[in-house]
Amino acid sequence: MRPGLAKGLAVTLRTMMKRSGTRQYPEVAPDLAPRSRGVIALFEENCTVCMLCARECPDWCIYIDSHKETMPAEGSARARSRNVLDRFAIDYSLCMYCGICVEVCPFDALFWSPEFEYAAYDIAELTHERDRLREWMWTVPPPQAHEPNADPPKELR
Amino acid sequence: MRDVVALVLVTVAFLTLPLIIGQAEHKVMAHMQGRLGPMYAGGFHGWAQLVADGVKFAQKEDTVPAAADRRIFLLAPGVALVPYLVVLAVVPVGPGQVAVDLSLGLFFALAVMGIGVIGSIMAGWASANKYSLLGGMRVAAQLVSYELPMVLAAASAAMAAGTLNLSGIAGAWQWWWLVWQAPAAVVFFLAGLAELRRPPFDMPVADSEIIFGPYTEYGGLRFAFFLLAEYAGILVVCSLTTVLFLGGWQGPLLPGFLWTLIKVFLLAFVVIWFRVAFPRLREDQLQRLAWVYLVPIALGQLALTGVVKVVTGA
């Protein structure tokens, strides 16, 4: 008898004696790292409709519609204008979770959320609009604290 | 009346024990691979998984390929399954507890088990499919090579006991047979596995090269019969090994039939264990194992048994 045969038997027997690592997902929630990249959430109050995310997206899965509003300025100055977000949607059937939109957003309006349970029965239902993206924002963990001896944040200086 | 009750009990055992072995295979194999196996069917740890599988198989369409030899194709699963039921009737579970006590029990069991293999060859030939035919030919080659060491090893046990009656062999068993008949026990068990085409001897159904061998064209209930025949075959081979080489019902404290069951299930565990631990033997390695190792070992054992019998003058 070759030693390899006994070794095979030993390995399988030892594995059988150990507890299986399987987590029974729907009954038992998985232990995810807090910064897991499950879905991209939108903090729409920060969005300026700069369109950088939509343009950087490799597979064009971000839809943004907006209009311009003007507000009369005091005195004889020219009226102020600002962009107002009408629609912000991400098509998760196209999204490849590269996170470039999160990286590129200059105003911190896009965040990774650990939420991952948004499977749908229809591919059209995977396009999520701004209200759903805004709800996911609540699941984003707060930013990490600065290190003890680091410089204070720039906006507080 | 006693015969009827005994045959009913044998039939019940034939219908339930293979399922228990199958379920044990699901769970043992899963845990040996670090998985859990079936967990949902029936609620508690998937105990009803095989019942669910049976219901699924029964719902499927019973198809026969257009080019197939229809009658043989339809008959093959029955030919594969029924012999094991017949063999089970002559296997003793306790002293005097046997459905049919044949004086040529061992001869009968080995002869009928050979027929079960014919079912697979029929399936392979009648399917009109090249993979089935290759599988059927491999089954035939395997039957021819492994029948010989199996019969020789069984003959050694019969010679040691001085009878072909299975109850007589189990009754004559002494604990030191474990050493004296050990080579024959190993040869018989391995040859039995090979005859069942269980891994690592599953060359005839090697799914990665010939789909599923002789069973490629089968579906639904007939396919389920082939699967059931495999597990019934495990039961039969394990119980024959128990009776011939492990003393059948002999053991302290517990009643005889329990000892038989314990030994049978321990052997069935080993069958499952081999499946998980060992890779499939190539066709030439398979033949080599039979002719270069098992047959000479069985012949040597036969000579040893004869010499010991003559010297002790029994």
Side-chain angles (χ1 to χ4, degrees):
Chain A
M1 187 156 161
R2 297 188 186 183
L5 295 179
K7 199 173 172 188
L9 291 175
V11 167
T12 44
L13 193 66
R14 224 177 302 130
T15 313
M16 190 182 76
M17 297 306 176
K18 272 189 284 190
R19 263 194 106 71
S20 151
T22 308
R23 297 290 294 269
Q24 296 222 267
Y25 160 59
E27 281 88 35
V28 182
D31 285 329
L32 293 178
R35 300 270 164 195
S36 298
R37 298 179 166 195
V39 74
I40 294 165
L42 169 71
F43 192 40
E44 66 177 56
E45 289 84 341
N46 276 0
C47 182
T48 62
V49 201
C50 66
M51 305 288 284
L52 283 178
C53 53
R55 289 202 282 170
E56 289 294 333
C57 180
D59 40 19
W60 295 79
C61 67
I62 302 180
Y63 303 93
I64 301 177
D65 290 335
S66 68
H67 69 271
K68 192 176 276 187
E69 272 180 6
T70 51
M71 291 171 290
E74 290 169 33
S76 59
R78 202 183 69 176
R80 299 283 168 115
S81 71
R82 67 182 185 104
N83 289 326
V84 180
L85 189 64
D86 291 330
R87 179 181 186 225
F88 193 105
I90 300 179
D91 186 350
Y92 284 103
S93 67
L94 293 178
C95 176
M96 60 184 197
Y97 300 86
C98 63
I100 289 177
C101 52
V102 179
E103 296 295 320
V104 85
C105 180
F107 300 103
D108 283 350
L110 290 170
F111 291 88
W112 279 111
S113 152
E115 199 62 35
F116 65 96
E117 292 168 307
Y118 50 97
Y121 286 105
D122 192 321
I123 198 168
E125 293 168 24
L126 279 171
T127 304
H128 290 295
E129 298 292 337
R130 62 194 275 191
D131 46 347
R132 186 81 196 273
L133 298 178
R134 180 65 184 85
E135 269 170 40
W136 275 322
M137 196 57 219
W138 299 111
T139 65
V140 175
Q144 276 172 318
H146 281 224
E147 286 187 22
N149 295 324
D151 291 338
K154 280 178 190 151
E155 57 268 34
L156 296 184
R157 244 189 295 188
Chain B
M1 187 59 208
R2 188 198 160 275
D3 287 349
V4 175
V5 173
L7 285 177
V8 168
L9 281 178
V10 166
T11 312
V12 169
F14 179 73
L15 292 177
T16 52
L17 295 185
L19 293 183
I20 294 174
I21 293 174
Q23 182 72 15
E25 175 165 51
H26 269 314
K27 295 307 261 188
V28 168
M29 190 155 74
H31 283 280
M32 281 182 170
Q33 296 168 343
R35 300 181 287 116
L36 289 175
M39 288 299 284
Y40 290 98
F44 180 74
H45 286 262
W47 66 271
Q49 182 61 43
L50 290 181
V51 179
D53 283 348
V55 171
K56 184 196 75 177
F57 280 129
Q59 287 170 339
K60 292 203 167 183
E61 188 183 358
D62 187 20
T63 54
V64 180
D69 187 343
R70 200 178 166 83
R71 283 226 317 277
I72 306 293
F73 184 87
L74 295 179
L75 201 60
V79 175
L81 184 59
V82 172
Y84 294 122
L85 171 63
V86 177
V87 173
L88 221 50
V90 300
V91 174
V93 289
Q97 293 167 358
V98 52
V100 183
D101 199 15
L102 291 180
S103 56
L104 283 175
L106 178 60
F107 178 77
F108 177 82
L110 291 176
V112 173
M113 268 181 72
I115 295 176
V117 184
I118 304 286
S120 296
I121 301 175
M122 283 167 65
W125 184 259
S127 292
N129 174 315
K130 58 185 172 185
Y131 300 115
S132 299
L133 185 59
L134 276 172
M137 292 301 106
R138 286 179 179 183
V139 172
Q142 206 155 313
L143 170 70
V144 170
S145 337
Y146 281 90
E147 193 79 345
L148 185 60
M150 191 173 181
V151 170
L152 289 175
S156 167
M159 199 196 267
T163 173
L164 279 173
N165 180 301
L166 286 172
S167 303
I169 294 173
W173 185 83
Q174 307 286 327
W175 65 267
W176 51 273
W177 284 32
L178 278 180
V179 184
W180 181 31
Q181 297 293 331
V186 171
V187 169
F188 184 86
F189 189 62
L190 288 183
L193 280 190
E195 205 134 301
L196 296 174
R197 302 168 297 285
R198 285 286 299 177
F201 307 106
D202 61 339
M203 203 64 201
V205 292
D207 52 336
S208 46
E209 40 187 283
I210 50 172
I211 321 296
F212 209 51
Y215 321 130
T216 303
E217 293 289 357
Y218 283 88
L221 217 46
R222 283 175 210 281
F223 180 72
F225 280 163
F226 276 119
L227 285 186
L228 188 60
E230 182 176 336
Y231 291 100
I234 295 176
L235 177 66
V236 165
V237 165
C238 290
S239 46
L240 278 182
T241 312
T242 303
V243 168
L244 293 179
F245 299 103
L246 300 179
W249 60 79
Q250 297 198 39
L253 297 174
L254 298 171
F257 74 94
L258 264 185
W259 271 113
T260 306
L261 273 182
I262 289 171
K263 289 170 184 174
V264 167
F265 276 108
L266 275 178
L267 284 175
F269 175 79
V270 174
V271 172
I272 298 165
W273 194 5
F274 279 11
R275 173 176 178 181
V276 182
F278 298 143
R280 182 185 302 134
L281 266 71
R282 214 169 48 221
E283 188 64 31
D284 61 309
Q285 294 170 329
L286 205 75
Q287 299 295 333
R288 195 179 152 75
L289 176 69
W291 294 107
V292 177
Y293 296 102
L294 296 190
V295 171
I297 290 174
L299 283 173
Q301 169 75 66
L302 208 55
L304 175 71
T305 309
V307 168
V308 170
K309 285 301 273 189
V310 169
V311 168
T312 55

